[in-house]
Amino acid sequence: MSETTHAGDPARHGPHPDALARARHPHRMPHRSMLFLPGSNAAMLSTAYIYGADAVMFDLEDGVALREKDSARLLVMHTLRSGLYAGVETVVRINPLDTPFGRADLEAAVRAGADVIRLPKTETAQDIVDLEAAVESIERDCGREVGSTRLMAAVESAAGVVNAVAIASSSPRLTSIALAGFDYVIDMRTTRGDGSELFYARCAVLHAARVARIAAYDVVFSDVEDEEGFLAEVDVIKRLGFDGKSLINPRQIDLLHNAYAPTQDELDRARLVVEAAEHAAAEGLGVVSLGGKMIDAPIIEAARRTISYAAASGVRLETTGTTS
Ligand SMILES: CC(C)(COP(=O)(O)OP(=O)(O)OC[C@H]1O[C@@H](n2cnc3c(N)ncnc32)[C@H](O)[C@@H]1OP(=O)(O)O)[C@@H](O)C(=O)NCCC(=O)NCCSC(=O)C[C@@](O)(CC(=O)O)C(=O)O
Ligand SMILES: [Mg+2]
């Protein structure tokens, strides 16, 4: 692939500052919604930055027909370089590296400045180690800051789920892990149902993410007309502890963000906790207390996350499904 230089090319100027902020302060940057966009769909690629997803995922893998693999790669590369998505986290789902398309996808995505590479069908930690080596070589070759491309592992099989802790801990570049439900249930010889078929995998992926201190994304919900079913699934995954979900349709974004938004009471309490923590830090106090009760670090961290969710999409409106 030939490399052209032009002003504003993210491949020349490193990652968007927003991406660096996410890497340094993950609790302040929500990872709730990741919108899948088929890389071959020019109309979707030219408009989807307006929908307000936390991240968009340009898909070069299963959402793209074989005969469109090369044209989709070019389309995604030009979209990344266009600057349209400068304020949104950009993710490219490449084809696996052992397919005829994987290396070319990776080369194009890293050179064009993708914030994150999503590796589908990750089964072992070695898959990520190999990906990291390939990414580093491309970064060096094109002059992109080494280490600036982040990685996401998508786990889509029994092997991936069983190896989730090793995968999640395999690279400092790996900032998130996603469970992919459709391929997973095929591998498990079952079908999507009431969620019980995903329960073990969800828990395994989530525990791996927490051990490695990275973000965890839940599966896509395929029926875009079934708002009630979508919200029921969101309720389950939020309770389990997922940071968010991969999505296939813009209509799912606000529903998800509203479900993750705090109530006004939760926000007020979080602000008090953070104020108390900041006061204690300013006074050089080792112990943070609020109303006579000691507050520990995980509570302060959770309070900061609550404030970041409210900053991103307001407080939760229980009746309308939207946020204020
Ligand atoms: C489902 C449907 C056909 C419905 O279409 P509809 O037209 O009925 O939708 P409408 O709501 O009417 O669209 C209103 C307006 O939004 C625009 N719009 C729609 N969707 C948009 C979007 N995604 N991005 C930007 N724009 C969008 C649309 O163009 C229109 O724009 P406009 O005409 O201007 O008004 C459509 O959404 C769609 O194609 N989704 C993406 C599907 C996809 O990517 N599948 C592969 C990934 S899963 C996989 O691979 C499995 C996995 O690997 C997963 C894992 O790894 O996690 C595993 O194993 O589990
Ligand atoms: Mg899949």
Side-chain angles (χ1 to χ4, degrees), residues 125 128 153 163-171 174 177 205 208-209 211-214:
I128 298 299
N163 292 328
V165 173
I167 290 168
S169 315
S170 59
S171 162
L174 195 90
I177 185 167
V205 166
V211 167
R213 301 192 175 280
I214 61 175

Side-chain angles (χ1 to χ4, degrees), residues 34-42 44-49 55-64 72-73 75-86 88-95 105 109 112-118 120 247:
M34 177 170 299
L35 179 65
F36 262 104
L37 285 131
S40 51
N41 191 319
M44 286 186 187
L45 290 176
S46 64
T47 54
Y49 61 91
V56 290
M57 187 193 339
F58 302 119
D59 185 17
L60 298 174
E61 199 221 7
D62 287 352
V64 174
R73 185 185 310 120
L75 201 50
V76 167
M77 199 177 77
H78 287 296
T79 304
L80 283 166
R81 287 185 166 158
S82 69
L84 282 177
Y85 288 85
V88 187
E89 184 173 63
T90 53
V91 182
V92 176
R93 180 166 79 164
I94 62 169
N95 286 280
D105 293 347
D115 294 322
V116 182
I117 304 296
R118 173 161 165 150
L247 305 176

Side-chain angles (χ1 to χ4, degrees), residues 208-283:
R210 296 298 162 253
V211 167
R213 301 192 175 280
I214 61 175
Y217 287 96
D218 185 50
V219 302
V220 299
F221 186 86
S222 64
D223 185 351
V224 298
E225 306 297 337
D226 183 5
E227 194 173 299
E228 203 180 323
F230 176 77
L231 287 174
E233 182 160 288
V234 169
D235 191 45
V236 170
I237 62 121
K238 188 183 163 206
R239 276 167 193 275
L240 285 174
F242 277 93
D243 297 87
K245 219 170 158 49
S246 303
L247 305 176
I248 56 158
N249 187 276
R251 282 185 268 162
Q252 297 174 325
I253 297 171
D254 274 357
L255 293 172
L256 180 69
H257 287 183
N258 184 54
Y260 270 82
T263 62
Q264 188 62 53
D265 283 353
E266 288 165 345
L267 178 60
D268 292 344
R269 168 84 189 161
R271 284 182 174 144
L272 288 175
V273 167
V274 170
E275 272 168 27
E278 284 170 357
H279 174 74
E283 298 291 314

Side-chain angles (χ1 to χ4, degrees), residues 76-147:
V76 167
M77 199 177 77
H78 287 296
T79 304
L80 283 166
R81 287 185 166 158
S82 69
L84 282 177
Y85 288 85
V88 187
E89 184 173 63
T90 53
V91 182
V92 176
R93 180 166 79 164
I94 62 169
N95 286 280
L97 293 180
D98 60 359
T99 67
F101 313 106
R103 296 272 164 183
D105 293 347
L106 187 64
E107 187 88 22
V110 173
R111 283 177 180 265
D115 294 322
V116 182
I117 304 296
R118 173 161 165 150
L119 186 69
K121 303 182 174 71
T122 308
E123 301 223 309
T124 65
Q126 190 62 41
D127 291 342
I128 298 299
V129 171
D130 293 346
L131 175 67
E132 181 175 33
V135 167
E136 182 167 333
S137 156
I138 299 165
E139 285 174 340
R140 288 188 192 287
D141 201 36
C142 72
R144 187 172 168 171
E145 186 188 341
V146 172

Side-chain angles (χ1 to χ4, degrees), residues 295-315:
I295 296 172
D296 58 9
I299 292 182
I300 298 167
E301 178 71 16
R304 290 206 163 104
R305 199 177 316 119
T306 298
I307 291 169
S308 79
Y309 283 7
S313 55
V315 291

